[in-house]
Amino acid sequence: MSDNNATIELKEITKEFKSTKVIDQLNLKIAAGEFLVLLGPSGCGKSTTLRMIAGLESVSNGEVLIDGDDLNNKANDGHTIAMVFQDYALYPNMTVYQNLEYALKVHKVPKDERSLRLESILETLNLTKYKDRLPSELSGGQKQRVALGRGMAKKSKIFLLDEPLSNIDVQLREKARDEIQNLHDRNKQTIVYVTHDQLEAMALGDRIAVMNDGIIQMVDTPDNIYKNPTNLFVAKFIGTPQINILDVKYQDGYLLIANQRVVRVKQTANIEPNDYLLGIRPEHIKLSKESDEDLSIPAVVTKIVDYGRFTQLTLELDEKYTIKAVTKDINCNIGDTLYVRIEEQTSIIFDKDSQKNIYWDRV
Ligand code: ADP
Ligand code: MG
């Protein structure tokens, strides 16, 4: 326990609205001072989970513990939790400045300290010139910045943010994202940050909890989630362009695509002769103009998108197999044949039925 932050524990949480179960036996432990990102598609239960942590939504079953104690003994003191709402929830009759100042006044933060904190937040979020406006006189993105600023001002032990950057223009979004990170570095609050944007999650999280249909699929560091996703859902949700998923067969020490050997598998890898799904990220596909290795397979370029920093190619191995690849150094035209090499170290193998990662023993 510390003055700056608190642990959060969700134990076997279930949430039903009427008879519809939207959260199913969710377990999650968040360390004091951790930056945890809750990531998942729209409707998967992120906001509901966050609102249960804030004590704004009751749990149907299970427990929410803050620093090991029942939430209800902690949440309402006004110091422990601050939340930025997805729909902003600004006080309509207060100006931007008054919105930011309100909670600080209630908690008796001295006037000098209040204006010091708020000036800097207004500045960072480019809101200084709007500080005397009412919420009705602001754009969606400006309102969202006020909501974010209001949460930042509080210095609570737990800071909950529900898609706080979703309506902010791209240029400002990066700055606001950096500022949330700086705030965390300075104040060491425990942060739970909800987003559907995987890039945001990768950039911000100490750990990411990937959620789908009310169930947490995987909780791990961004690096592990990227390199070794627990199942096909997580693999596809993280990474852009999306991971390639290819039907493969294991036979006699090789993975085969359309009867061509593509990946050598070492003896000790212990893979059963069977059909699998092979996951390979576009940035891990190796391309060359010559067939220089026995495991490279020819593919025809069908689409080229030039992003400046890199080029994204779509290649067809045959009618059934299309691969996306990202490259910096190959010049090619539509219709060219390139040689595709899939490497063992970056190949992820999934069971075809369960769609789970088999965590095979790579080199
Ligand atoms: P997310 O934030 O991931 O988009 P939500 O937590 O808002 O998802 O919603 C999860 C599911 O619960 C959705 O299917 C949504 O329609 C449903 N839901 C959310 N709030 C309510 C409510 N108050 N009454 C009934 N259903 C709700
Ligand atoms: Mg939501």
Side-chain angles (χ1 to χ4, degrees), residues 63-108:
E63 277 184 300
V64 180
L65 302 177
I66 306 292
D67 270 343
D69 196 0
D70 190 84
L71 170 72
N72 295 318
N73 303 334
K74 296 269 185 183
N76 301 324
D77 66 1
H79 295 288
T80 307
I81 297 178
M83 177 155 170
V84 177
F85 293 90
Q86 189 165 16
D87 57 3
Y88 324 137
L90 302 177
Y91 305 113
N93 300 323
M94 293 186 193
T95 64
V96 167
Y97 194 87
Q98 289 164 340
N99 261 283
L100 293 175
E101 194 182 31
Y102 183 72
L104 304 187
K105 262 184 161 169
V106 171
H107 297 303
K108 310 222 164 20

Side-chain angles (χ1 to χ4, degrees), residues 226-260:
Y226 174 82
K227 286 190 182 140
N228 239 334
T230 185
N231 59 29
L232 212 53
F233 176 83
V234 177
K236 286 179 162 178
F237 205 76
I238 297 278
T240 174
Q242 207 176 53
I243 191 167
N244 295 291
I245 302 291
L246 304 163
D247 277 305
V248 294
K249 187 188 282 298
Y250 174 72
Q251 218 173 57
D252 306 328
Y254 290 90
L255 296 178
L256 278 60
I257 291 180
N259 290 322
Q260 298 188 70

Side-chain angles (χ1 to χ4, degrees), residues 286-328:
K286 296 277 185 321
L287 296 171
S288 58
K289 293 208 162 182
E290 313 291 332
S291 166
D292 50 2
E293 291 183 68
D294 56 348
L295 293 177
S296 65
I297 43 175
V300 178
V301 178
T302 57
K303 192 172 177 198
I304 304 174
V305 183
D306 187 354
Y307 285 104
R309 271 182 308 131
F310 61 89
T311 307
Q312 183 182 316
L313 303 179
T314 307
L315 302 126
E316 267 182 20
L317 303 184
D318 63 21
E319 292 98 78
K320 196 163 155 256
Y321 286 92
T322 300
I323 287 186
K324 282 208 161 58
V326 162
T327 172
K328 285 188 186 127

Side-chain angles (χ1 to χ4, degrees), residues 17-18 20 22-23 40-49 57 86 162-163 194 211:
F17 288 112
K18 302 225 169 76
T20 312
V22 296
I23 305 291
S42 174
C44 74
K46 304 180 296 297
S47 293
T48 304
T49 304
E57 196 78 73
Q86 189 165 16
D162 196 350
E163 314 234 12
V194 162
M211 198 171 187

Side-chain angles (χ1 to χ4, degrees), residues 90-287:
L90 302 177
Y91 305 113
N93 300 323
M94 293 186 193
T95 64
V96 167
Y97 194 87
Q98 289 164 340
N99 261 283
L100 293 175
E101 194 182 31
Y102 183 72
L104 304 187
K105 262 184 161 169
V106 171
H107 297 303
K108 310 222 164 20
V109 178
K111 191 165 194 319
D112 290 353
E113 161 85 25
R114 288 201 309 258
S115 55
L116 209 65
R117 269 197 225 172
L118 296 188
E119 291 305 325
S120 117
I121 286 172
L122 287 166
E123 195 58 42
T124 324
L125 296 175
N126 283 20
L127 285 170
T128 308
K129 65 177 179 222
Y130 307 108
K131 72 179 163 58
D132 298 320
R133 289 206 196 171
L134 291 171
S136 59
E137 299 165 323
L138 300 174
S139 72
Q142 289 163 346
K143 280 187 230 177
Q144 192 165 38
R145 271 139 60 198
V146 178
L148 177 60
R150 194 172 55 177
M152 287 172 140
K154 243 176 113 180
K155 294 196 178 168
S156 54
K157 292 184 177 187
I158 292 175
F159 191 14
L160 308 174
L161 301 103
D162 196 350
E163 314 234 12
L165 308 180
S166 56
N167 284 318
I168 298 178
D169 294 350
V170 175
Q171 293 84 348
L172 250 174
R173 195 184 304 165
E174 196 163 314
K175 190 175 167 207
R177 195 175 80 188
D178 288 347
E179 201 44 46
I180 293 171
Q181 193 123 56
N182 292 340
L183 182 85
H184 182 246
D185 291 345
R186 275 199 308 275
N187 296 350
K188 309 274 184 258
Q189 293 159 295
T190 308
I191 292 188
V192 185
Y193 185 105
V194 162
T195 181
H196 64 271
D197 179 337
Q198 47 109 6
L199 286 176
E200 217 169 273
M202 295 293 276
L204 285 170
D206 293 328
R207 287 189 307 159
I208 301 173
V210 185
M211 198 171 187
N212 190 31
D213 279 342
I215 294 173
I216 291 188
Q217 309 284 315
M218 179 173 194
V219 190
D220 214 322
T221 60
D223 193 49
N224 285 341
I225 286 184
Y226 174 82
K227 286 190 182 140
N228 239 334
T230 185
N231 59 29
L232 212 53
F233 176 83
V234 177
K236 286 179 162 178
F237 205 76
I238 297 278
T240 174
Q242 207 176 53
I243 191 167
N244 295 291
I245 302 291
L246 304 163
D247 277 305
V248 294
K249 187 188 282 298
Y250 174 72
Q251 218 173 57
D252 306 328
Y254 290 90
L255 296 178
L256 278 60
I257 291 180
N259 290 322
Q260 298 188 70
R261 291 175 168 184
V262 287
V263 179
R264 188 177 292 114
V265 177
K266 66 176 177 185
Q267 286 273 294
T268 54
N270 261 335
I271 299 190
E272 307 278 310
N274 210 338
D275 290 346
Y276 294 96
L277 296 171
L278 169 74
I280 179 88
R281 297 200 179 277
E283 55 275 30
H284 295 148
I285 298 268
K286 296 277 185 321
L287 296 171

